[in-house]
Amino acid sequence: ETGVTQTPRHLVMGMTNKKSLKCEQHLGHNAMYWYKQSAKKPLELMFVYNFKEQTENNSVPSRFSPECPNSSHLFLHLHTLQPEDSALYLCASSPFLGRLNTEAFFGQGTRLTVV
Amino acid sequence: TQLLEQSPQFLSIQEGENLTVYCNSSSVFSSLQWYRQEPGEGPVLLVTVVTGGEVKKLKRLTFQFGDARKDSSLHITAAQPGDTGLYLCAGDMNNNAGNMLTFGGGTRLMVKP
C-alpha cells in the first residue's frame, strides 16, 4: 500500500442518508486535506488538519463533518446532503503545514452523487 | 473572481502541435506548482517553481515562473495523446494557518491522434 487511498471510489446517496468517506495515507505526512472538485469550479479547500488538529474550516456547511483520529487517517462524515453537493471529493496529504513549497499528494477521489 | 486564472479553459489540438497554458494572478506566490489530473484520478504534481524567472523542463514540458512570481506558463512541445488531461496550477501563499495551496480553474487539454 502506497500513497493516498480513498474509499469508496463511487458513492450514491439519498438526501436523508448518512455516509462517510475515508482517506488513508502511508507517506508519513502530518497534514491532511479535504478538497471538493465540482464541474466548472476550481478545487475548493474544505478542511485542513495538521498533526490531527483542525486548522482550517473553509466556511463549509455543517452537513459535512470531518474527523482525523490520527495523522494517517481522515474521514468526512456526510448527512442530509443536497444534490448540489454532488462532486469529486479529494483527499490530500503533505509532509507539513506551514512550510514553503507545500507539495500535495492526492488520492483518487470519491465521486459522490446525491439523489 | 478567482485568485488564480488559467487560460485557456479548454484546448483541443492535433498530435504533434505545440501549446502554451497560462496561469495568472495579481498576488505574489512563494512558489507555484503544476499538476495534471487524468479522468477518474486525483491531481499528480508535475513541477514546483520557486524563483522568479525560473524555467524548468520535464521532457517535452517547459514551465516558467514570472519574474514577479505572480504568473506562470506551461509549454508543451509536440503534444501526444498521452498529454490529455486537466492541467492545474496552484499557488503557495501564507495565511494564518501557514502556507496553503490555492488552485486555478484548470485547463482541459485534449490531444487527438
Side-chain angles (χ1 to χ4, degrees):
Chain A
E1 296 180 355
T2 59
V4 181
T5 305
Q6 288 187 244
T7 54
R9 293 291 309 275
H10 301 273
L11 178 63
V12 179
M13 61 184 289
M15 288 189 282
T16 59
N17 290 159
K18 288 185 180 181
K19 296 286 183 183
S20 295
L21 309 185
K22 179 182 176 182
C23 177
E24 186 172 0
Q25 59 97 359
H26 303 276
L27 300 168
H29 291 170
N30 295 298
M32 295 189 77
Y33 313 79
W34 280 117
Y35 284 88
K36 177 183 178 182
Q37 189 174 35
S38 308
K40 301 180 183 179
K41 279 189 176 182
L43 270 169
E44 300 173 72
L45 180 64
M46 300 174 71
F47 300 105
V48 180
Y49 278 82
N50 193 35
F51 290 95
K52 304 187 299 177
E53 298 297 321
Q54 185 175 316
T55 60
E56 188 91 358
N57 176 338
N58 212 18
S59 303
V60 180
S62 59
R63 56 187 184 269
F64 295 92
S65 174
E67 179 190 359
C68 188
N70 55 62
S71 293
S72 299
H73 293 84
L74 186 65
F75 294 89
L76 188 62
H77 303 299
L78 316 170
H79 64 98
T80 59
L81 295 192
Q82 304 297 312
E84 59 265 28
D85 295 322
S86 298
L88 182 68
Y89 288 85
L90 289 161
C91 172
S93 70
S94 65
F96 298 97
L97 186 67
R99 296 280 186 89
L100 294 179
N101 309 326
T102 306
E103 175 185 344
F105 292 77
F106 285 87
Q108 294 173 303
T110 295
R111 173 68 62 186
L112 174 67
T113 304
V114 182
V115 297
Chain B
T1 303
Q2 297 178 21
L3 190 60
L4 275 169
E5 296 281 350
Q6 284 189 243
S7 61
Q9 292 185 4
F10 301 96
L11 190 56
S12 179
I13 61 172
Q14 292 295 135
E15 181 176 2
E17 292 184 19
N18 302 332
L19 66 119
T20 302
V21 174
Y22 300 93
C23 177
N24 295 301
S25 177
S26 56
S27 301
V28 176
F29 295 100
S30 55
S31 67
L32 196 137
Q33 300 174 357
W34 284 93
Y35 291 78
R36 181 169 68 209
Q37 184 178 16
E38 298 184 19
E41 303 291 332
V44 175
L45 180 69
L46 296 174
V47 78
T48 301
V49 285
V50 179
T51 307
E54 181 178 5
V55 176
K56 279 192 175 178
K57 292 193 174 184
L58 186 66
K59 296 184 181 178
R60 293 176 293 100
L61 279 60
T62 302
F63 305 84
Q64 183 161 9
F65 203 11
D67 291 341
R69 305 206 318 276
K70 293 182 180 181
D71 53 82
S72 181
S73 64
L74 158 59
H75 182 79
I76 302 180
T77 304
Q80 298 178 2
D83 296 327
T84 294
L86 178 67
Y87 289 82
L88 296 161
C89 66
D92 185 356
M93 62 191 308
N94 192 274
N95 68 12
N96 292 334
N99 283 75
M100 306 281 267
L101 288 177
T102 299
F103 282 83
T107 293
R108 194 165 297 279
L109 171 66
M110 176 176 288
V111 182
K112 293 182 253 187

